[in-house]
Amino acid sequence: MRTFYITTPIYYVNDIPHIGHAYTSIACDVMARFKRLSGDKVFFLSGTDEHGLKIKKSAEKAGMEPLEFTNQVSQRFRDLLTALNCSNDDFIRTTEVRHKKACQALWDKLVANGDIYLGKYSGWYAVRDEAYYAEDELTKTAGSKMIAPSGAECEWVEEESYFFKLSAWGDRLLDFYEKNPDFIKPVTRRNEIVQFVKSGLHDLSVSRTAISWGIPVPNESRHVMYVWLDALTNYISALGYPDIESEKFKDFWPSAVHVMGKDIIRFHAVYWPAFLMAAGVAPPKKVFAHGWWTNEGQKISKSLGNVIDPYELIADYGLDQMRYFLLREVPFGNDGDFSKDSMIRRMNSDLANGIGNLAQRTLSLIAKNCEGKVPAHSDFSEQDNKLLHAAYALPAMFSEHMNSFAFNKALDSIWELISAADRYIDSEAPWSLKKTDITRMQTVLFVLAEVIRIISLLLQPFMPTSADALLNQLSVPSDKRSLEHASGKHVLTAGTPLPAPTGVFPRFNPPK
Ligand code: MSP
């Protein structure tokens, strides 16, 4: 059986959930659902990143102990996944015992393999990014502040620290990228990373003594692990690391795909595979970096007060509509702009007037003229066959796009079929056949119902609730909704009673 392991980044609990978190989680959910429908055994992981100075400071600000604080705020991210209808199989918190064990075991391995040594770190650190920066990467402001490329302010740090011998892994990383050309996607990110590694890697400080909110370094009570080493390890602690012989680990690790925003690709594509190779574990199969959303053309930031609240989007436009918009509007990997106008345009033209209208027209004609049962068909005309063939050919093309994370192209390919079905219904005009040729009318309505069945099957990963509603209206049994049923071998059965049709994709109603 094919397996598929997909992960979101684990989210920093100091933030309130925003569109960025929602976007990654939805994209991973769509992929996880698609792979399940394709028959793969799937493991979908999300979670929260709870250690480090940034979280410690937020807890202090809230007047709470760090653990009490993280217990409370981690729940917000669990709740968001539920609100987004994400089908994650597990949710990991870095404060859990299973994770701590995995991190310490990984650390021991790195020490045993000679990749960690004790030294002294003096350099720049940005708490907001929890990242070290070289001086030549920074810009000095008029007020002598040192600013990282991400915009985060850096502070000077000098302390005893354990180092990971990252500098020794450059050539092996380049060799790995070369042998695995699809490891970093999209290709623009791959080029950036290759350039970065070619420019020479410095050893990486992987422990801190100035803070205590973290996972203790084994046998070294003064040090806690660098929060990114801790955080990245979540991807294997959830599979039971260090037990790499377990079925779960063996089943899923080789198929691992990490999805994240472009800002944190370096951690995933450079540090993480180096840590893993040093510990004798194969790197994941793929890391995919998506772009960033702006709001009405403006960078999203707390100080501008334009952070997009996913709960508000759900309330204003509907969950499935929002899921559809985010994955349809821009190619996955590119930056995108959220605007009310474009959201409403997609909701009305693609959904209400597109698939919604096609389904509603067809299903009400069937309800009115075919006694509310799947009509029987007679011989197919050339036009019927043309449309049916297009429908049965679609799943293969759709899957190809999905497998390369081209969500927008996968959706485009469905909408091409919707347009073809719209042209067909207009030219065949089943409403007027009612008086002239009932047999022909039934055939046309059968063809349309079949096409809507295929469309609904393919829409399931993106809009699970709406696609389910459509499949229910076609009385498709729940065990006949996987992609293997999206062919001409599993057609609708004539005479099957259908429930009374109701609209599935409402037009936009301005919020009161
Ligand atoms: N804790 C780290 C990840 C550790 S994974 C081992 C982290 N957390 S985060 O909460 O700050 O980031 C969550 C994700 O949200 C990142 O992938 C980031 O790229 C994404 N986004 C944050 N703002 C975004 C937009 N405006 N648009 C799209 N995604 C954005 O980083």
Side-chain angles (χ1 to χ4, degrees):
M1 195 178 199
R2 276 177 323 219
T3 58
F4 185 68
Y5 177 33
I6 189 158
T7 66
T8 73
I10 47 171
Y11 301 116
Y12 283 132
V13 283
N14 65 314
D15 216 351
I16 43 160
H18 56 66
I19 194 171
H21 307 115
Y23 184 47
T24 326
S25 300
I26 291 171
C28 290
D29 183 57
V30 168
M31 206 58 194
R33 287 176 184 271
F34 163 70
K35 291 287 190 177
R36 286 191 204 104
L37 284 178
S38 310
D40 293 21
K41 189 167 154 193
V42 171
F43 191 66
F44 167 21
L45 178 72
S46 189
T48 42
D49 191 352
E50 307 187 8
H51 289 130
L53 200 49
K54 175 154 125 160
I55 306 298
K56 175 85 181 341
K57 286 188 171 169
S58 298
E60 273 164 15
K61 227 167 132 190
M64 290 164 113
E65 282 304 309
L67 188 59
E68 184 193 0
F69 174 75
T70 57
N71 283 343
Q72 194 181 85
V73 286
S74 169
Q75 187 60 36
R76 287 187 199 154
F77 287 90
R78 258 184 223 266
D79 293 345
L80 179 68
L81 290 166
T82 310
L84 296 172
N85 197 7
C86 285
S87 60
N88 53 304
D89 298 286
D90 197 353
F91 184 94
I92 191 156
R93 299 181 53 191
T94 54
T95 45
E96 286 176 64
V97 174
R98 59 172 170 163
H99 176 69
K100 183 175 158 187
K101 272 193 192 156
C103 286
Q104 293 183 329
L106 184 74
W107 183 282
D108 285 340
K109 262 271 185 257
L110 297 177
V111 172
N113 294 349
D115 279 286
I116 282 190
Y117 64 91
L118 188 62
K120 189 172 168 214
Y121 180 76
S122 49
W124 296 99
Y125 190 77
V127 177
R128 198 184 84 189
D129 301 344
E130 296 283 16
Y132 301 95
Y133 288 102
E135 187 143 337
D136 60 9
E137 290 180 281
L138 308 180
T139 7
K140 201 172 190 168
T141 66
S144 284
K145 285 183 177 162
M146 297 299 269
I147 306 294
S150 63
E153 194 179 327
C154 296
E155 56 188 46
W156 183 257
V157 171
E158 264 186 42
E159 61 183 336
E160 182 184 281
S161 172
Y162 282 98
F163 283 82
F164 173 72
K165 282 189 192 159
L166 186 63
S167 60
W169 286 91
D171 288 343
R172 282 173 281 187
L173 282 168
L174 290 171
D175 186 50
F176 176 74
Y177 303 148
E178 174 116 18
K179 290 196 174 111
N180 298 276
D182 291 330
F183 172 64
I184 305 169
K185 284 280 177 182
V187 73
T188 45
R189 301 286 162 229
R190 176 189 153 84
N191 296 341
E192 266 172 39
I193 292 293
V194 168
Q195 261 333 97
F196 172 72
V197 175
K198 277 191 178 158
S199 71
L201 297 173
H202 303 288
D203 288 353
L204 183 69
S205 160
V206 284
S207 78
R208 310 271 332 244
T209 48
I211 58 166
S212 55
W213 179 238
I215 296 184
V217 167
N219 312 314
E220 226 343 338
S221 54
R222 290 168 307 133
H223 290 250
V224 297
M225 288 181 205
Y226 171 40
V227 63
W228 271 99
L229 171 58
D230 162 348
L232 289 160
T233 304
N234 92 86
Y235 300 133
I236 54 174
S237 39
L239 294 183
Y241 186 82
D243 186 4
I244 56 174
E245 292 307 321
S246 74
E247 208 165 300
K248 196 170 180 187
F249 198 93
K250 285 201 296 200
D251 264 3
F252 289 112
W253 184 245
S255 66
V257 178
H258 302 317
V259 178
M260 85 266 356
K262 61 182 182 181
D263 53 319
I264 55 174
I265 180 81
R266 198 184 279 186
F267 299 96
H268 285 82
V270 181
Y271 301 170
W272 182 226
F275 295 152
L276 286 166
M277 289 196 274
V281 178
K285 187 162 175 210
K286 189 189 288 298
V287 297
F288 196 111
H290 64 68
W292 272 48
W293 287 91
T294 49
N295 186 359
E296 309 280 350
Q298 268 196 322
K299 187 170 185 259
I300 296 178
S301 86
K302 268 190 245 168
S303 49
L304 287 174
N306 65 349
V307 174
I308 302 176
D309 174 359
Y311 289 100
E312 241 168 63
L313 294 187
I314 298 172
D316 290 350
Y317 309 106
L319 172 61
D320 279 356
Q321 284 74 3
M322 161 200 180
R323 289 174 59 113
Y324 171 78
F325 174 85
L326 291 176
L327 295 182
R328 173 66 192 78
E329 190 67 4
V330 285
F332 199 57
N334 292 14
D335 291 338
D337 182 46
F338 179 86
S339 78
K340 285 192 173 134
D341 284 351
S342 41
M343 174 74 230
I344 294 169
R345 207 174 312 124
R346 292 260 172 228
M347 178 172 173
N348 286 345
S349 54
D350 298 9
L351 299 178
N353 296 344
I355 176 62
N357 193 35
L358 174 70
Q360 186 63 10
R361 280 212 282 180
T362 305
L363 290 164
S364 25
L365 283 168
I366 294 178
K368 257 197 277 169
N369 305 318
C370 309
E371 297 166 6
K373 292 182 184 149
V374 174
H377 65 83
S378 54
D379 290 346
F380 291 131
S381 70
E382 201 186 316
Q383 291 312 313
D384 302 342
N385 275 326
K386 207 170 133 197
L387 188 62
L388 285 172
H389 286 156
Y392 297 140
L394 179 58
M397 199 201 314
F398 172 85
S399 299
E400 208 177 300
H401 292 316
M402 292 298 285
N403 282 320
S404 47
F405 286 80
F407 300 118
N408 68 318
K409 285 191 187 162
L411 287 167
D412 263 352
S413 69
I414 299 181
W415 258 261
E416 268 171 36
L417 181 63
I418 294 173
S419 304
D422 275 340
R423 289 192 297 273
Y424 171 88
I425 196 171
D426 287 340
S427 67
E428 300 298 323
W431 44 87
S432 52
L433 288 170
K434 188 181 159 189
K435 299 202 185 83
T436 54
D437 188 347
I438 292 260
T439 318
R440 179 68 197 141
M441 175 200 74
Q442 288 181 329
T443 303
V444 169
L445 291 176
F446 174 87
V447 169
L448 285 164
E450 241 321 81
V451 169
I452 295 167
R453 180 181 72 91
I454 302 292
I455 291 168
S456 313
L457 286 177
L458 301 185
L459 285 179
Q460 290 177 99
F462 292 92
M463 299 188 281
T465 309
S466 315
D468 261 13
L470 285 177
L471 291 165
N472 291 344
Q473 296 200 27
L474 290 167
S475 293
V476 175
S478 51
D479 61 348
K480 298 220 161 33
R481 295 183 179 189
S482 69
L483 290 193
E484 78 177 281
H485 297 101
S487 76
K489 267 191 280 169
H490 301 270
V491 292
L492 293 166
T493 315
T496 309
L498 302 178
T502 50
V504 174
F505 294 102
R507 284 187 67 78
F508 174 72
N509 280 319
K512 285 174 201 106

